[in-house]
Amino acid sequence: METGRYNHSNDILDNFPFSRSIGAARYVFKIKGNQYRLIVKINFDLQAVWIRFIGTHLQYDKIDALTI
C-alpha cells in the first residue's frame, strides 16, 4: 500500500486479488489462505487507510464488518 497510489476501488481489487469491497469504504482482505481477515477503511481523496479489524475467520464471523 505504501508504494502504490490508489484512486478508486478498482485499483484495490486489481492489485489485491484476495480482497473485496463490502461497502462503506471498507475492504476485506483474505490472509494466509483465508485463515485470517483484515478489514480496512480507505479514503481515496486523502490516500489514507485505517485498519478496522485483524483476526481469524472465526472472529470475523462474529463482527459487523460495516460498523467496526
Side-chain angles (χ1 to χ4, degrees):
M1 297 294 283
E2 284 185 17
T3 59
R5 178 149 179 92
Y6 304 97
N7 296 312
H8 48 77
S9 64
N10 287 342
D11 294 338
I12 298 294
L13 302 175
D14 290 344
N15 285 289
F16 299 96
F18 296 104
S19 68
R20 65 184 171 97
S21 173
I22 58 171
R26 295 175 196 276
Y27 296 82
V28 174
F29 295 81
K30 298 176 184 177
I31 300 171
K32 197 178 176 198
N34 204 22
Q35 289 182 0
Y36 298 93
R37 295 278 179 99
L38 166 68
I39 300 173
V40 298
K41 185 173 183 177
I42 300 175
N43 183 311
F44 292 104
D45 293 332
L46 296 176
Q47 291 290 291
V49 176
W50 295 274
I51 296 173
R52 305 304 299 154
F53 171 83
I54 300 172
T56 66
H57 192 287
L58 182 62
Q59 292 168 325
Y60 172 83
D61 288 339
K62 296 178 181 178
I63 63 164
D64 181 356
L66 294 175
T67 59
I68 194 164

